[in-house]
Each structure stands twice: as structure tokens, then as C-alpha cells.
Amino acid sequence: MEIGFDGYALGGLSVGEDKAAMWEVVGEIAPLMPAAQPRYLMGVGTPEDLIEGIALGVDMFDCVLPTRNGRNGQAFTSFWKAEHQECTWAQDRRPLDESCGCSVCARHSRAYLRHLYLSSEMLSSVLLSHHNLAFFLDTMRRVRQSIRSGKFMQFRQEFTETISSGVE
């Protein structure tokens, strides 16, 4: 801190440690970092991790998760992580996430996305990655809104319960 960097990074915490150990370290270090400079947690990126990191004072994150998981058939939704090989989606005409406003959810059904994935169509990776990025951006928009309104802790609890429940 004596050098006066424009921001500070925490790294090496998501390479094998269990979550409890990672959050313990972040919880100890983040408050020691200057609040006026951005605090960046490298390589951490599940939606739940973003929320927990923010609660501990982290400002920025980066992770390949939204696109890597999209390329491998997984979509992040407001209710859980959806896997596209789900047989229940074979005839499901609903959007991937009914509360999502992204162009993928506006245009394509679960059945179609499942078909693309099972057919090994490259479009599946593109669409799921696009949706995942839109989901993450919307989540962060909602976080900022909850912070501005003084309701972040309530948002955190509701978000975590909803994601963990896996119920639409």
C-alpha cells in the first residue's frame, strides 16, 4: 500500500482450496486493502462467489466460467445451473430462464437449445455463452441496485436461497 497502486488484486485463492478457506482468507485480507481503490479477486466467478466476494468487500472479478460452461452445455439461470442434456426439455417450449431478458431467452426454447447441444452444433456454445454473460451482467446490475438502495444483505440472502433451491 505504501507504493500507492491504483488497485489491489487477490489471487491464487481458487486453485484447489475449499470455499471456506478461500473466503476466510478474503475476509481477512480485503478489509486491510484501501477502500478507495478497487479490490480485485482473480479467477473466482460462480454467481454465488460473486455475491460472497462483494459481501466481503471485493469490487471486481474475472473468470472463464460463463463462457467455458456455456461451451460445455451449462447455463446459469435465476433458479439453478441448467444442463442441456435434460430429457425433460425435449419438448419444452419455454425460454431457458423465464425471468431473463437476453436475446437467447427471447428467441429460443429450452427444447431448441437442448437439440443444438445434443447435435454438437457450435451455435449451442455461442448461445449458451451469450446467455451466461447476460445472466452475470444482470446479476451484477441487480447487486449494484441493491447496494445503492441499502438492501444488499437482503438481496444476498434471497439470491443465495433461490439459486440453492433449484426450484423455478
Side-chain angles (χ1 to χ4, degrees), residues 9-26:
L10 290 163
L13 296 174
S14 60
V15 289
E17 301 80 11
D18 62 46
K19 296 270 184 173
M22 179 180 73
W23 293 126
E24 182 179 345
V25 170
V26 172

Side-chain angles (χ1 to χ4, degrees), residues 12-167:
L13 296 174
S14 60
V15 289
E17 301 80 11
D18 62 46
K19 296 270 184 173
M22 179 180 73
W23 293 126
E24 182 179 345
V25 170
V26 172
E28 291 290 324
I29 295 174
L32 301 175
M33 302 165 95
Q37 274 81 31
R39 292 170 281 194
Y40 163 49
L41 183 56
M42 301 179 341
V44 174
T46 67
E48 302 92 337
D49 288 347
L50 298 179
I51 303 302
E52 185 63 24
I54 291 165
L56 293 171
V58 175
D59 303 300
M60 298 186 304
F61 307 85
D62 77 297
C63 192
V64 300
L65 200 65
T67 54
R68 183 187 62 210
N69 286 30
R71 288 190 310 271
N72 289 294
Q74 188 178 66
F76 290 91
T77 68
S78 59
F79 52 94
W80 70 319
K81 295 177 200 95
E83 301 285 345
H84 276 77
Q85 55 271 28
E86 299 208 27
C87 58
T88 60
W89 288 9
Q91 302 297 317
D92 196 334
R93 301 291 176 205
R94 293 177 297 164
L96 181 57
D97 185 342
E98 293 178 297
S99 65
C100 179
C102 81
S103 60
V104 175
C105 290
R107 295 183 185 136
H108 305 293
S109 70
R110 293 176 183 185
Y112 180 65
L113 293 169
R114 178 181 182 272
H115 160 74
L116 290 176
Y117 178 75
L118 293 177
S119 300
S120 299
E121 287 287 340
M122 192 163 93
L123 183 57
S124 171
S125 297
V126 172
L127 293 176
L128 293 177
S129 292
H130 176 88
H131 164 79
N132 285 347
L133 290 169
F135 174 79
F136 275 66
L137 287 169
D138 184 63
T139 298
M140 295 310 290
R141 178 194 58 77
R142 293 170 51 214
V143 164
R144 287 189 299 277
Q145 184 178 29
S146 73
I147 291 170
R148 281 192 296 273
S149 67
K151 297 181 179 178
F152 174 73
M153 296 311 282
Q154 177 184 341
F155 171 82
R156 176 185 179 200
Q157 180 179 350
E158 291 170 2
F159 182 88
T160 303
E161 287 172 1
T162 301
I163 287 280
S164 299
S165 74
V167 177

